[in-house]
Amino acid sequence: MGLRKNPNNMNQKIFIKTFGCQMNEYDSNRIFDSVKKIGYEKTEKYEEANCYLLNTCHIRDKAKEKVYSEIGRVKKIFRSKKKPLLIITGCVAQAENQEMLKREPYIDLVIGPQAYHKINDIIINYTKKKEKIEETEFDAVSKFKYLSKIKNEAGKVSSFLTIQEGCDKFCHFCVVPFTRGPEYSRPFKQILDEAKYLVDNGAKEIILLGQNVNAYDNEGYRLSDLILNIEKLPEIKRVRYTTSHPKDMTEDLIEVYKTSKKLMPLVHLPVQSGSNKILKSMNRKHTIEEYLNIFDKLKEINPKIEFSSDFIIGYPGEEDQDFKDTFNLIKRVKFINSFSFIFSPRPGTVAENLDLIEKKISFERLEKIQTVLFENQIRANNSFKGKVVDVLVENLTDDKSKAFGRSEYMTSVIFNGKKNDIGKIVQVRIKDSNRNTLFGEIITNSDQKVA
Ligand code: SAM
Ligand code: SF4
Ligand code: F3S
């Protein structure tokens, strides 16, 4: 299906704009791997595109409006040119489906996240018949079967690999179960094959992705099995996974931190709130005590392990004491990097119709929480000053004068590296830092270190 070349589309240029999470980034790359087969080249210059694809996110308020205002911009850019084929994919496409075609006639095709295996056929069909369609069926099995036949040609030092899609948890604030459908774990072998192909294309780090990545379960194979198998590939230097749910932080996964040689010591484990009352009303299915138990176990295995998290501030019913609980949790865990957002009511979710707390209070709380989270981040980065860190080199900086890589904790590191350091782990002495970046000087290439 859809693998054949379409001569009508040869030398077409596609511009892809991606909003949202890493899974959308992965999807955008895979969509491109697919449309390449029908003659599309990627362009970074939107004004020269014949096809403009917006891969959208629906997680918070205004997401939909952002998409329509982006379409307004596209209309302006192409006012005096041939209209590009406009395709909307991603979570807004899923949530809004045919409504989008009705509201904005400039849109040609609407394709949901579980229907990307059909994209080539849909485009070919549109080119022939000019028939606008919306395709939002949930069919993860066919999607991944199709995508596994098309090589993942991301060719990046640090490459994403989606292993699990969808969510069955139904947190009361979240649209993901509606936009990505039920939980689905890709076949174990299909993932290992894709990992090998990524390695052949230059990947040195693989980041395993899923909306609930640690719920991965395929015929008894768990995330822990994937980590231990992927790290056997000699070219792989680092393995990471995101995003995980505390409820699925099973013993086998915790144990992997004892045995794995390449799993990085940063655990992104969103907690959302430090208050058991709020966690319950969010339907998060775990308590703060259970969360801290995971934290303590991992710290005991390896004190170098650090945590990062997502927080929702101003959830309906959040009182001063609940907010203080969140504050106290942050003090205890000392998250080194976190995302925090004010609660945004989402259509179709249980929390949609709950009474909102005063806006002013939410903003004040967000400011307070971000101050302490940023302080933690600055302190953590500062603590590396004068120390030597292992950096996986990903690229040169835009002006090519320096190299860019990441520490074990995912922090950006900029240093005096060269092009031939790309793809290697080098040792960098940190001289300076700010909230997001470490700056340093290379000392050795640790790939050359004698064991
Ligand atoms: N599956 C992950 C988990 O269980 O934590 C999170 C996935 S979600 C794509 C990423 C983050 O968006 C969440 O951790 C949450 O903090 C935030 N988020 C989701 N829905 C939200 C809402 N309605 N308002 C504000 N933030 C929200
Ligand atoms: Fe959303 Fe909750 Fe599922 Fe995460 S676990 S994707 S927050 S419903
Ligand atoms: Fe957004 Fe969908 Fe990801 S709503 S965060 S793009 S799963």
Side-chain angles (χ1 to χ4, degrees):
M1 181 202 296
L3 281 173
R4 64 192 183 273
K5 292 241 177 204
N6 170 24
N8 298 331
N9 280 336
M10 290 311 283
N11 303 321
Q12 299 285 318
K13 291 200 168 130
I14 185 167
F15 178 83
I16 303 180
K17 181 154 183 169
T18 310
F19 300 88
C21 62
Q22 290 122 322
M23 298 199 61
N24 257 13
E25 269 184 56
Y26 173 87
D27 288 345
S28 289
N29 282 332
R30 301 303 276 137
I31 287 172
F32 178 60
D33 287 334
S34 178
V35 298
K36 244 192 305 201
K37 307 283 175 205
I38 52 167
Y40 277 95
E41 281 170 33
K42 202 187 269 179
T43 178
E44 303 301 328
K45 294 183 192 151
Y46 51 77
E47 64 284 2
E48 65 174 34
N50 317 94
C51 176
Y52 205 107
L53 187 141
L54 291 178
N55 195 7
T56 61
C57 170
H58 201 45
I59 201 79
R60 275 172 291 274
D61 193 20
K62 304 209 177 78
K64 194 168 69 178
E65 297 320 313
K66 241 194 226 169
V67 175
Y68 286 108
S69 81
E70 181 64 23
I71 296 169
R73 220 171 61 86
V74 180
K75 274 170 146 177
K76 256 194 207 156
I77 299 166
F78 288 90
R79 199 168 14 212
S80 53
K81 294 183 184 169
K82 187 167 182 285
K83 177 189 175 309
L85 173 67
L86 182 59
I87 308 178
I88 310 297
T89 58
C91 291
V92 177
Q94 187 67 41
E96 290 287 299
N97 49 62
Q98 62 262 56
E99 284 309 306
M100 298 198 91
L101 293 175
K102 281 190 207 143
R103 173 166 163 184
E104 180 46 88
Y106 203 78
I107 299 173
D108 298 307
L109 301 169
V110 174
I111 308 175
Q114 303 292 14
Y116 297 151
H117 53 295
K118 297 186 180 163
I119 193 162
N120 286 7
D121 286 346
I122 292 173
I123 294 176
I124 292 170
N125 188 50
Y126 182 81
T127 328
K128 285 186 194 147
K129 298 190 186 155
K130 293 282 174 278
E131 197 183 314
K132 297 196 174 205
I133 70 151
E134 162 270 322
E135 178 56 73
T136 48
E137 202 189 327
F138 286 135
D139 189 359
V141 179
S142 306
K143 177 176 103 170
F144 284 112
K145 208 166 164 190
Y146 168 77
L147 287 177
S148 68
K149 288 191 210 130
I150 299 176
K151 303 286 185 227
N152 183 334
E153 294 181 341
K156 282 187 159 181
V157 170
S158 175
S159 289
F160 292 137
L161 203 180
T162 292
I163 64 165
Q164 179 277 337
E165 272 234 52
C167 181
D168 295 338
K169 295 263 183 321
F170 291 93
C171 299
H172 286 168
F173 52 80
C174 184
V175 286
V176 170
F178 307 101
T179 61
R180 294 275 174 168
E183 257 175 30
Y184 169 74
S185 296
R186 291 179 65 186
F188 188 69
K189 182 170 177 309
Q190 200 183 81
I191 296 168
L192 293 185
D193 287 346
E194 188 167 332
K196 281 183 202 136
Y197 198 79
L198 285 169
V199 164
D200 291 344
N201 266 278
K204 305 291 177 193
E205 171 177 272
I206 289 192
I207 307 182
L208 301 171
L209 298 181
Q211 270 90 24
N212 260 314
V213 73
N214 55 346
Y216 178 85
D217 189 347
N218 175 255
E219 295 176 358
Y221 288 114
R222 302 300 314 265
L223 173 60
S224 53
D225 299 304
L226 277 172
I227 295 168
L228 293 173
N229 274 277
I230 288 175
E231 74 173 19
K232 281 186 195 151
L233 297 169
E235 297 86 347
I236 286 294
K237 298 179 194 297
R238 292 178 169 180
V239 182
R240 303 181 190 270
Y241 62 88
T242 197
T243 293
S244 38
H245 189 287
K247 188 84 192 145
D248 294 313
M249 211 68 201
T250 46
E251 284 302 322
D252 58 310
L253 185 53
I254 291 175
E255 283 291 306
V256 164
Y257 284 87
K258 282 187 192 158
T259 47
S260 166
K261 305 266 181 299
K262 299 181 182 174
L263 182 59
M264 289 295 101
L266 176 69
V267 181
H268 182 64
L269 193 62
V271 65
Q272 316 298 353
S273 167
S275 148
N276 279 334
K277 180 189 103 189
I278 297 296
L279 288 183
K280 192 153 194 269
S281 89
M282 285 176 166
N283 192 29
R284 285 292 286 180
K285 303 179 171 69
H286 69 87
T287 61
I288 287 304
E289 291 70 26
E290 284 161 342
Y291 189 91
L292 286 172
N293 190 25
I294 299 166
F295 174 74
D296 290 339
K297 276 187 188 164
L298 286 172
K299 276 287 199 193
E300 204 182 308
I301 289 172
N302 178 4
K304 264 180 63 182
I305 289 176
E306 299 291 353
F307 273 50
S308 64
S309 180
D310 297 344
F311 295 92
I312 294 182
I313 305 301
Y315 190 75
E318 184 187 78
E319 294 172 300
D320 277 346
Q321 185 54 48
D322 303 308
F323 180 64
K324 276 186 198 147
D325 290 346
T326 303
F327 230 84
N328 290 338
L329 181 76
I330 293 172
K331 268 198 200 145
R332 163 95 148 82
V333 176
K334 300 191 182 69
F335 300 94
I336 64 162
N337 186 7
S338 291
F339 302 96
S340 42
F341 314 94
I342 290 181
F343 166 70
S344 165
R346 307 311 291 129
T349 61
V350 171
E352 179 187 9
N353 298 316
L354 297 180
D355 290 340
L356 291 176
I357 70 166
E358 223 183 292
K359 248 189 186 164
K360 187 170 160 279
I361 295 180
S362 288
F363 276 108
E364 280 169 8
R365 287 181 184 164
L366 183 72
E367 213 181 302
K368 279 189 194 153
I369 219 95
Q370 290 192 334
T371 306
V372 52
L373 289 171
F374 290 166
E375 275 170 12
N376 280 357
Q377 213 172 318
I378 290 168
R379 197 175 316 117
N381 285 352
N382 229 333
S383 71
F384 287 106
K385 264 193 212 166
K387 295 197 178 129
V388 174
V389 299
D390 279 355
V391 176
L392 175 59
V393 188
E394 293 187 16
N395 246 318
L396 294 183
T397 52
D398 286 347
D399 66 0
K400 311 263 184 280
S401 67
K402 297 252 161 62
F404 165 85
R406 287 184 190 274
S407 74
E408 292 185 330
Y409 299 101
M410 274 298 259
T411 312
S412 307
V413 184
I414 293 184
F415 65 100
N416 58 334
K418 300 270 179 312
K419 200 172 167 196
N420 64 4
D421 292 324
I422 294 174
K424 292 179 185 156
I425 291 194
V426 299
Q427 293 193 297
V428 174
R429 186 175 302 280
I430 302 306
K431 302 269 174 188
D432 205 356
S433 72
N434 60 28
R435 177 154 69 87
N436 295 315
T437 313
L438 304 174
F439 303 92
E441 275 172 20
I442 188 164
I443 32 176
T444 69
N445 174 339
S446 72
D447 279 356
Q448 295 158 357
K449 271 194 307 195
V450 184

